[in-house]
Amino acid sequence: MSSRRVKILILNFCLFAFLIVVRLFYWQILQGEKLSAQAESQYFVEKETRSPRGEILSRDGFPLVTNKPSYTVYVTIKKDGSDSQMAEKIAGILATDEQSEPKILEEMKKRLAVSRNLVWVALARGLDREARNEIEKLSLEGVGFEEEQVRNYPEGSMSAQLVGFFGKDVQGQDKGYFGLEGYYDRELRGVPGKIKQEKDAFGLLIPIGLNYEEKSTAGRNLILHLDRGIQYITEEKLKNGIEKYGAVAGSVVIMDPKTGGIIAMAAFPNYDPKSYGRWHQELYSNPIVAQTYEPGSTFKVLVMASGLDSGSVGQNDLCDICSGPRTIGEYTIRTWNDKYYPRSSLSDILQHSDNVGMVFIGDKLGKQKMYDYLTNFGIGSLTGIDLEEETIAEIRPPDKWSEIDLATISFGQGIAVTPIQMVTAVSVIANGGALLRPHVVKEISTENKIIEIPVEKIRSVISRKTALIIKEMMVQAVDRGEAKWAAPKGYRIAGKTGTAQIPIAGHYEAEKTIASFIGFAPADDPKFVMLVTLREPKTSQWGSETAAPLWFDIAKDIFKIWGIAPQ
Amino acid sequence: MSNKLSIRNCRSLKFIFITILLLSFLKVILSNALATNGTIISRINEKIATTNGENQKLKEEIAQLGSLKRISQEAIKSGFVSNGTVVSVSMEIPIALR
């Protein structure tokens, strides 16, 4: 063999080897990742394990919000048009009555018509288990289901604005909005897991093969302070009360003054969290934490407590300006019924809900002390309640108050609060002087432990002695005040009515009021503090004739449920 | 001396060879026995999924039946009415007035 032929042969070998190297480089380096992924998909089966969203339970462990499966039914597009016949059969099952069937069918046919060039199309969403079983019984070829978990509300729209709702954000990711769903979204949300197992040629798992598992973590459950029975009664009574008194809206909040736990919280109008999209967005936020109002006479108990605790007025002091209206600059301050009680005691001032008497207390307190005490009561700052949409109702600094501001604030006008701020502040009087952070959630439970939310004392606001004096004044206000006719006999209840005018476009509307009643019972060992507000009641504008009877009506049922006997 | 060493080496080699043979045989038997377990595991997984589904369904039913809305509707249907008056017995000891 000539040396030239040998050289050619060697060159060919080298070229061949080079081509192999190039091909290997292509497979291993350039396409390596893709090919190994392809191979992995042949060897392994990978599944995502669900992580259910945490439940929201009332204090008795009953689920207020839980999860249930929801199905999407899809059909494979068929060239012969037999999918339309399938749609007809499915529409027959999904229709609730004869009128709805053509509508459902029309919608399905529209979907089929626009999806002719696709492989499959979703015919209907949000099917329950029963509908799925019915469709499965038809044994239709090319029909399948996709499961997803949705929120289930066994008590319907009960405490809707308290729990919030569960939807999707702009990126299509699951997210809780408003109330507890919004505030505790991270706790409620679980972490999905992954299982990767080796499979054989038939797709069956190989027991001695490789297995990888990332465990899913279920969302945490929230156990509330909320008493389901009281919540139900409160909602029913409030609904009836709004109707009876012709109010445009109303709210009730009940709190345990010793722990800050929210026992019940209801507001109307509300919405159904199951179909939140159909309701106006204004209804989503909870007015008890997100809407401010001028508290009117219910605020007088806080100003009176401030006056007594600071020593600005003494328990036996008499009002020396109460014999007639009080004029401050161009304004004249009158009592609500234009009746005047000269030399009223402090207890009389509260009992008569005397505006002039409160101006007397305000004058004695002065701007700075009044401001300091009100801010200590939590007015002007967030209460820190565990609900997403709490709004701050700011209070102007005292150097910006004029004389008339000091006077009107002393009887609860010209200052805005949220209902939750009012209840938290009056709890200070009920529990002997401590401002507690209000809490809806009592415990957070995970798979293996329970995290208890501790009672959180923010600060001491008034002395125990002052709290006792104010409590007695509030008891007198109930026993001898305008609302005494509605109070249940035999119970010592501390309370105060309120009728506040509503500021509209820079002035107060004479006829439009917010009627309210705040109080606690039993006065000597308070089990609850409750605030009832009714916006623009028509039958009477007064709190003593609308909110107070509603308050006592709810309280009577609480006494029955908790077995609180009259004294 | 060298003969003794080669006999010992030969024995060791035999032992290793037999061990390998036995272990290979054992692996074949075990793999064979476990090969069909994939089907069993799939069936068990299906059962777990079904049981979980049924548990969830039962939980839903309990919640639905226990809801106060339903109970109050049932109570009204059955003719129950709320008791407006509550009688409470005083704990005070009765005394003669005169």
Side-chain angles (χ1 to χ4, degrees), chain A residues 47 50 55 62-63 67-69 129-130 149 152-156 158 197 204-205 207-208 228-229 232 560 565-566, chain B residues 31 34-35 37-39 41-42 45 53 56-57 59-60 62-64 66-69 72 82-84 86 88:
Chain A
K47 284 193 292 186
R50 278 195 318 224
E55 295 181 338
F62 188 88
N67 304 305
K68 71 169 185 181
R129 202 181 272 115
E130 285 69 34
Q149 291 285 314
N152 182 30
Y153 303 88
E155 291 286 7
M158 184 199 264
Q197 288 171 306
L204 295 170
L205 303 175
I208 50 168
R228 192 164 58 106
Y232 180 78
K560 268 194 261 178
Chain B
S31 302
L34 290 170
N37 282 11
T39 328
I41 290 172
S42 297
N45 280 341
Q56 196 181 12
K57 193 181 164 189
K59 222 173 138 186
E60 269 173 50
I62 291 167
Q64 221 61 50
S67 88
L68 291 175
K69 205 174 172 182
S72 70
S82 97
N83 186 2
V86 176
S88 56

Side-chain angles (χ1 to χ4, degrees), chain A residues 87-133:
Chain A
E88 272 171 35
K89 287 179 184 169
I90 293 169
I93 288 172
L94 298 183
T96 48
D97 50 58
E98 281 182 11
Q99 282 124 18
S100 64
E101 192 177 333
K103 275 185 196 169
I104 295 171
L105 184 60
E106 194 186 333
E107 177 63 26
M108 285 180 176
K109 283 190 173 169
K110 258 188 212 169
R111 286 182 183 195
L112 283 168
V114 295
S115 315
R116 278 281 153 221
N117 51 348
L118 299 177
V119 180
W120 58 269
V121 61
L123 284 183
R125 291 175 200 279
L127 274 64
D128 58 18
R129 202 181 272 115
E130 285 69 34
R132 180 201 160 133
N133 291 345

Side-chain angles (χ1 to χ4, degrees), chain A residues 480-506:
Chain A
R480 297 181 190 170
E482 292 298 312
K484 63 183 174 195
W485 58 276
K489 301 286 172 281
Y491 288 97
R492 263 170 60 80
I493 295 170
K496 182 73 195 80
T497 54
T499 306
Q501 289 178 307
I502 304 172
I504 297 170

Side-chain angles (χ1 to χ4, degrees), chain B residues 13-68:
Chain B
L13 277 171
K14 262 185 192 173
F15 177 74
I16 291 166
F17 181 72
I18 290 166
T19 312
I20 290 169
L21 214 67
L22 275 172
L23 286 174
S24 310
F25 192 61
L26 198 70
K27 190 180 187 299
V28 170
I29 291 169
L30 278 175
S31 302
N32 196 32
L34 290 170
T36 51
N37 282 11
T39 328
I40 298 166
I41 290 172
S42 297
R43 246 185 264 147
I44 290 169
N45 280 341
E46 265 173 41
K47 242 186 187 176
I48 291 169
T50 315
T51 313
N52 281 340
E54 277 171 11
N55 277 347
Q56 196 181 12
K57 193 181 164 189
L58 287 172
K59 222 173 138 186
E60 269 173 50
E61 275 175 29
I62 291 167
Q64 221 61 50
L65 292 171
S67 88
L68 291 175

Side-chain angles (χ1 to χ4, degrees), chain A residues 211-283:
Chain A
N211 283 322
Y212 307 100
E213 185 174 1
E214 277 174 40
K215 286 208 165 179
S216 67
T217 314
R220 295 169 167 188
N221 294 338
L222 306 179
I223 299 143
L224 313 186
H225 285 280
L226 192 107
D227 186 307
R228 192 164 58 106
I230 293 174
Q231 177 72 19
Y232 180 78
I233 284 164
T234 303
E235 289 197 4
E236 290 299 303
K237 301 252 178 207
L238 177 61
K239 226 184 283 174
N240 296 339
I242 288 172
E243 209 175 299
K244 184 176 171 184
Y245 302 117
V248 297
S251 72
V252 178
V253 53
I254 307 173
M255 188 168 124
D256 180 347
K258 288 167 191 164
T259 63
I262 299 296
I263 298 161
M265 191 182 261
F268 288 104
N270 71 351
Y271 67 99
D272 185 358
K274 203 171 155 188
S275 55
Y276 64 88
R278 291 188 203 154
W279 302 81
H280 197 281
Q281 286 183 7
E282 271 180 16
L283 296 174

Side-chain angles (χ1 to χ4, degrees), chain A residues 296-319 322 344-366 369-370 373-374 377 406-407 409-412 422 425-426 428-429 461-463 465-477 495-496:
Chain A
S297 297
T298 53
F299 200 71
K300 288 172 182 168
V301 294
L302 304 184
V303 177
M304 186 66 84
S306 310
L308 274 169
D309 195 72
S310 63
S312 306
V313 285
Q315 197 185 346
N316 301 317
D317 284 1
L318 300 174
C319 173
C322 287
S344 288
S345 68
L346 300 190
S347 187
D348 291 338
I349 290 172
L350 266 195
Q351 186 190 315
H352 298 137
S353 200
D354 190 335
N355 292 340
V356 180
M358 288 312 298
V359 174
F360 164 74
I361 309 286
D363 282 346
K364 296 278 183 191
L365 250 175
K369 270 191 196 163
M370 169 105 81
Y373 267 94
L374 292 183
F377 269 113
L406 177 69
I409 288 170
S410 67
F411 52 84
M422 265 318 280
V426 172
V428 172
I429 299 165
V461 182
I462 53 171
S463 66
K465 191 184 159 197
T466 308
L468 283 172
I469 296 168
I470 299 295
K471 181 191 79 185
E472 283 309 320
M473 287 182 182
M474 289 173 76
V475 171
Q476 293 297 314
K496 182 73 195 80

